[in-house]
Coordinates of all heavy atoms in Angstrom, one line a residue:
M1 N 4.5 3.5 12.1 CA 4.7 4.9 12.0 C 3.6 5.7 11.3 O 3.5 6.9 11.5 CB 6.1 5.2 11.3 CG 7.3 4.6 12.0 SD 7.4 5.0 13.7 CE 8.5 6.4 13.7
V2 N 2.8 5.0 10.5 CA 1.7 5.6 9.8 C 0.4 5.3 10.6 O 0.1 4.2 10.8 CB 1.6 5.1 8.4 CG1 0.5 5.8 7.6 CG2 3.0 5.3 7.6
P3 N -0.3 6.4 10.9 CA -1.6 6.2 11.6 C -2.6 5.3 10.8 O -2.6 5.3 9.6 CB -2.2 7.6 11.8 CG -1.0 8.5 11.6 CD -0.1 7.8 10.7
E4 N -3.3 4.5 11.5 CA -4.2 3.5 10.9 C -5.2 4.2 10.0 O -5.5 3.7 8.9 CB -5.0 2.8 12.0 CG -5.8 1.6 11.4 CD -6.5 0.8 12.5 OE1 -6.0 0.7 13.6 OE2 -7.5 0.2 12.2
D5 N -5.7 5.4 10.3 CA -6.7 6.1 9.5 C -6.0 6.4 8.1 O -6.7 6.4 7.1 CB -7.3 7.3 10.1 CG -6.4 8.3 10.5 OD1 -5.2 8.0 10.9 OD2 -6.7 9.5 10.4
R6 N -4.8 6.8 8.2 CA -4.0 7.2 6.9 C -3.8 5.9 6.1 O -3.9 6.0 4.9 CB -2.7 7.8 7.3 CG -2.1 8.5 6.2 CD -2.9 9.7 5.7 NE -2.1 10.3 4.6 CZ -2.5 10.4 3.3 NH1 -3.6 9.9 3.0 NH2 -1.7 10.9 2.4
L7 N -3.5 4.8 6.7 CA -3.3 3.5 6.0 C -4.6 3.2 5.3 O -4.6 2.8 4.1 CB -3.0 2.4 7.0 CG -1.6 2.4 7.6 CD1 -1.5 1.3 8.7 CD2 -0.6 2.1 6.5
C8 N -5.7 3.3 6.0 CA -7.0 3.0 5.3 C -7.3 3.9 4.2 O -7.8 3.5 3.1 CB -8.1 3.1 6.4 SG -8.1 1.8 7.6
Q9 N -7.0 5.2 4.3 CA -7.2 6.1 3.2 C -6.4 5.7 1.9 O -6.9 5.7 0.8 CB -6.7 7.5 3.6 CG -7.6 8.3 4.4 CD -7.1 9.7 4.6 OE1 -5.9 9.9 4.8 NE2 -7.9 10.7 4.7
V10 N -5.1 5.4 2.1 CA -4.3 5.0 1.0 C -4.8 3.7 0.4 O -4.9 3.5 -0.8 CB -2.8 4.8 1.4 CG1 -2.0 4.2 0.3 CG2 -2.3 6.2 1.8
L11 N -5.2 2.7 1.2 CA -5.6 1.4 0.7 C -6.9 1.4 0.1 O -7.2 0.6 -0.8 CB -5.5 0.4 1.8 CG -4.1 0.1 2.3 CD1 -4.1 -0.9 3.5 CD2 -3.2 -0.5 1.2
T12 N -7.8 2.3 0.4 CA -9.1 2.4 -0.2 C -9.2 3.3 -1.3 O -10.2 3.4 -2.0 CB -10.2 2.7 0.9 OG1 -9.9 4.0 1.5 CG2 -10.3 1.7 1.9
A13 N -8.1 4.1 -1.6 CA -8.1 5.0 -2.7 C -8.1 4.2 -4.0 O -7.7 3.0 -4.0 CB -6.8 5.9 -2.6
S14 N -8.5 4.8 -5.0 CA -8.6 4.2 -6.3 C -7.2 4.0 -7.0 O -6.7 5.0 -7.5 CB -9.5 4.9 -7.3 OG -9.6 4.3 -8.5
F15 N -6.7 2.9 -6.9 CA -5.4 2.6 -7.6 C -5.6 1.6 -8.7 O -4.7 1.0 -9.2 CB -4.4 2.0 -6.6 CG -3.9 3.0 -5.7 CD1 -4.2 3.0 -4.3 CD2 -3.0 4.0 -6.1 CE1 -3.7 4.0 -3.5 CE2 -2.5 5.0 -5.2 CZ -2.9 5.0 -3.9
G16 N -6.9 1.3 -9.1 CA -7.1 0.3 -10.2 C -6.7 -1.1 -9.7 O -6.9 -1.4 -8.6
N17 N -6.2 -1.8 -10.6 CA -5.8 -3.2 -10.3 C -4.3 -3.3 -9.9 O -3.8 -4.3 -9.6 CB -6.0 -4.1 -11.5 CG -7.5 -4.3 -11.7 OD1 -8.2 -4.4 -10.8 ND2 -7.9 -4.4 -13.0
D18 N -3.6 -2.2 -9.9 CA -2.2 -2.1 -9.7 C -1.9 -1.8 -8.2 O -2.3 -0.7 -7.8 CB -1.5 -1.1 -10.6 CG 0.0 -1.2 -10.6 OD1 0.6 -2.1 -9.9 OD2 0.6 -0.3 -11.2
L19 N -1.3 -2.6 -7.5 CA -1.0 -2.4 -6.1 C 0.3 -1.5 -5.9 O 0.6 -1.0 -4.8 CB -0.8 -3.7 -5.3 CG -2.1 -4.5 -5.1 CD1 -1.8 -5.8 -4.4 CD2 -3.2 -3.7 -4.4
E20 N 1.1 -1.4 -6.9 CA 2.4 -0.7 -6.8 C 2.3 0.7 -6.4 O 3.0 1.2 -5.5 CB 3.2 -0.8 -8.1 CG 4.6 -0.3 -7.9 CD 5.5 -0.7 -9.1 OE1 5.2 -1.6 -9.9 OE2 6.5 0.0 -9.3
P21 N 1.3 1.5 -6.9 CA 1.2 2.9 -6.4 C 0.8 2.9 -4.9 O 1.3 3.8 -4.2 CB 0.0 3.5 -7.3 CG 0.0 2.6 -8.5 CD 0.4 1.3 -8.1
A22 N 0.0 2.0 -4.5 CA -0.4 2.0 -3.1 C 0.9 1.7 -2.2 O 1.1 2.3 -1.2 CB -1.5 1.0 -2.8
A23 N 1.7 0.7 -2.7 CA 2.9 0.3 -2.0 C 3.8 1.5 -1.9 O 4.4 1.8 -0.8 CB 3.5 -0.9 -2.6
E24 N 4.0 2.2 -3.0 CA 4.9 3.3 -3.0 C 4.4 4.4 -2.1 O 5.2 5.1 -1.4 CB 5.1 3.9 -4.5 CG 5.8 2.9 -5.4 CD 5.8 3.3 -6.8 OE1 5.1 4.3 -7.2 OE2 6.4 2.6 -7.6
A25 N 3.1 4.7 -2.1 CA 2.6 5.7 -1.2 C 2.8 5.3 0.3 O 3.1 6.2 1.1 CB 1.1 5.9 -1.5
L26 N 2.6 4.1 0.6 CA 2.7 3.7 2.0 C 4.2 3.7 2.5 O 4.5 4.2 3.6 CB 2.2 2.3 2.2 CG 0.7 2.1 2.1 CD1 0.2 0.7 2.1 CD2 0.0 2.9 3.2
V27 N 5.1 3.4 1.6 CA 6.5 3.5 2.0 C 6.9 4.9 2.1 O 7.6 5.3 3.1 CB 7.4 2.7 0.9 CG1 8.9 3.1 1.2 CG2 7.2 1.2 1.0
R28 N 6.4 5.8 1.2 CA 6.7 7.2 1.3 C 6.2 7.8 2.6 O 6.9 8.5 3.3 CB 6.2 8.0 0.1 CG 6.5 9.4 0.1 CD 6.0 10.2 -1.1 NE 4.5 10.2 -1.1 CZ 3.7 9.5 -2.0 NH1 4.3 8.7 -2.9 NH2 2.4 9.5 -1.9
L29 N 4.9 7.4 3.0 CA 4.4 7.9 4.2 C 5.1 7.4 5.4 O 5.3 8.2 6.4 CB 2.9 7.4 4.3 CG 1.9 8.2 3.5 CD1 0.6 7.5 3.5 CD2 1.7 9.6 4.0
A30 N 5.6 6.2 5.4 CA 6.4 5.6 6.5 C 7.7 6.4 6.7 O 8.1 6.8 7.8 CB 6.6 4.1 6.3
N31 N 8.3 6.7 5.6 CA 9.6 7.5 5.6 C 9.3 8.9 6.2 O 10.0 9.4 7.0 CB 10.2 7.5 4.3 CG 11.0 6.3 4.0 OD1 11.7 5.8 4.8 ND2 10.8 5.8 2.8
E32 N 8.2 9.5 5.6 CA 7.9 10.9 6.1 C 7.5 10.9 7.5 O 7.6 12.0 8.2 CB 6.8 11.4 5.2 CG 7.2 11.7 3.8 CD 6.1 12.1 2.8 OE1 4.9 12.0 3.3 OE2 6.4 12.4 1.6
S33 N 7.0 9.8 8.0 CA 6.5 9.8 9.4 C 7.6 9.5 10.4 O 7.3 9.2 11.6 CB 5.3 8.8 9.6 OG 4.2 9.2 8.8
G34 N 8.8 9.4 9.9 CA 9.9 9.2 10.9 C 10.4 7.8 11.0 O 10.9 7.4 12.0
G35 N 10.1 7.0 9.9 CA 10.6 5.6 9.9 C 12.1 5.6 10.2 O 12.9 6.1 9.4
N36 N 12.5 5.0 11.3 CA 13.9 5.1 11.6 C 14.6 3.7 11.5 O 15.7 3.5 12.1 CB 14.1 5.6 13.0 CG 13.3 4.9 14.1 OD1 12.7 3.8 13.8 ND2 13.2 5.4 15.3
D37 N 14.0 2.8 10.9 CA 14.5 1.4 10.7 C 14.1 0.9 9.3 O 13.5 1.7 8.5 CB 14.0 0.5 11.8 CG 14.9 -0.7 12.0 OD1 15.8 -1.0 11.2 OD2 14.7 -1.4 13.1
N38 N 14.3 -0.3 9.1 CA 13.8 -0.9 7.8 C 12.3 -0.8 7.7 O 11.6 -1.0 8.7 CB 14.3 -2.3 7.7 CG 15.8 -2.4 7.6 OD1 16.5 -1.5 7.1 ND2 16.3 -3.6 8.0
I39 N 11.8 -0.6 6.5 CA 10.4 -0.6 6.3 C 10.0 -1.8 5.5 O 10.6 -2.0 4.4 CB 9.9 0.7 5.6 CG1 10.2 1.9 6.5 CG2 8.5 0.6 5.2 CD1 10.0 3.2 5.8
T40 N 9.1 -2.6 6.0 CA 8.6 -3.8 5.3 C 7.2 -3.6 5.0 O 6.4 -3.2 5.8 CB 8.8 -5.0 6.2 OG1 10.2 -5.2 6.6 CG2 8.3 -6.3 5.5
L41 N 6.8 -4.0 3.8 CA 5.4 -3.8 3.3 C 5.1 -5.1 2.4 O 5.8 -5.5 1.6 CB 5.3 -2.6 2.4 CG 4.0 -2.3 1.7 CD1 2.9 -2.0 2.7 CD2 4.2 -1.2 0.7
A42 N 3.9 -5.6 2.7 CA 3.4 -6.7 1.9 C 1.9 -6.4 1.6 O 1.1 -6.1 2.5 CB 3.5 -8.0 2.6
L43 N 1.5 -6.3 0.3 CA 0.1 -6.1 -0.1 C -0.3 -7.3 -0.8 O 0.4 -7.9 -1.6 CB 0.0 -4.9 -0.9 CG 0.4 -3.5 -0.3 CD1 0.2 -2.4 -1.4 CD2 -0.5 -3.3 0.9
L44 N -1.6 -7.7 -0.6 CA -2.1 -8.9 -1.2 C -3.6 -8.6 -1.6 O -4.3 -8.1 -0.8 CB -2.1 -10.1 -0.2 CG -2.9 -11.3 -0.6 CD1 -2.1 -12.0 -1.7 CD2 -3.0 -12.2 0.6
R45 N -3.9 -8.9 -2.9 CA -5.2 -8.7 -3.4 C -6.0 -10.0 -3.2 O -5.5 -11.0 -3.7 CB -5.2 -8.2 -4.8 CG -6.6 -8.0 -5.3 CD -6.7 -7.4 -6.7 NE -5.8 -6.3 -7.0 CZ -6.0 -5.1 -6.6 NH1 -7.0 -4.8 -5.9 NH2 -5.1 -4.1 -6.9
V46 N -7.1 -10.0 -2.6 CA -7.9 -11.2 -2.4 C -9.2 -11.0 -3.2 O -9.9 -10.0 -3.1 CB -8.3 -11.3 -0.9 CG1 -9.1 -12.6 -0.7 CG2 -7.0 -11.5 0.0
G47 N -9.5 -12.0 -3.9 CA -10.7 -12.0 -4.7 C -10.5 -11.3 -6.0 O -9.4 -11.0 -6.4
G48 N -11.6 -11.1 -6.7 CA -11.5 -10.4 -8.0 C -11.3 -11.4 -9.2 O -11.2 -12.6 -8.9
P49 N -11.2 -10.9 -10.4 CA -11.1 -11.8 -11.5 C -9.8 -12.5 -11.5 O -8.7 -12.0 -11.1 CB -11.2 -10.9 -12.7 CG -11.1 -9.5 -12.2 CD -11.3 -9.5 -10.7
S50 N -9.8 -13.7 -12.0 CA -8.6 -14.6 -12.1 C -7.8 -14.2 -13.4 O -8.4 -13.9 -14.4 CB -9.0 -16.0 -12.2 OG -7.8 -16.8 -12.4
R51 N -6.5 -14.2 -13.3 CA -5.7 -13.9 -14.5 C -5.5 -15.2 -15.3 O -5.0 -15.2 -16.4 CB -4.3 -13.4 -14.1 CG -4.5 -12.0 -13.5 CD -3.1 -11.4 -13.2 NE -3.2 -10.1 -12.6 CZ -2.3 -9.3 -12.5 NH1 -1.1 -9.6 -12.9 NH2 -2.5 -8.1 -11.9
D52 N -5.8 -16.4 -14.7 CA -5.7 -17.6 -15.4 C -6.8 -17.8 -16.4 O -7.9 -17.9 -16.1 CB -5.7 -18.8 -14.4 CG -5.4 -20.1 -15.0 OD1 -5.0 -20.2 -16.1 OD2 -5.6 -21.1 -14.3
S53 N -6.4 -17.9 -17.7 CA -7.4 -18.1 -18.7 C -7.7 -19.5 -19.0 O -8.6 -19.8 -19.9 CB -6.9 -17.4 -20.0 OG -5.7 -18.0 -20.5
G54 N -7.1 -20.5 -18.4 CA -7.4 -21.8 -18.8 C -7.6 -22.7 -17.6 O -8.0 -23.7 -17.4

């Protein structure tokens, strides 16, 4: 329901290391765009610093 260019805008915006704001924005956009069924979203960060200190 969300156009690909809008998805790219949200995903490339500066959300720092937290994916939750991006997820919330995408779900909101899907609802506003006429989502008429369940909305499923999965975000995965690939690469970057490891949180494992040992």
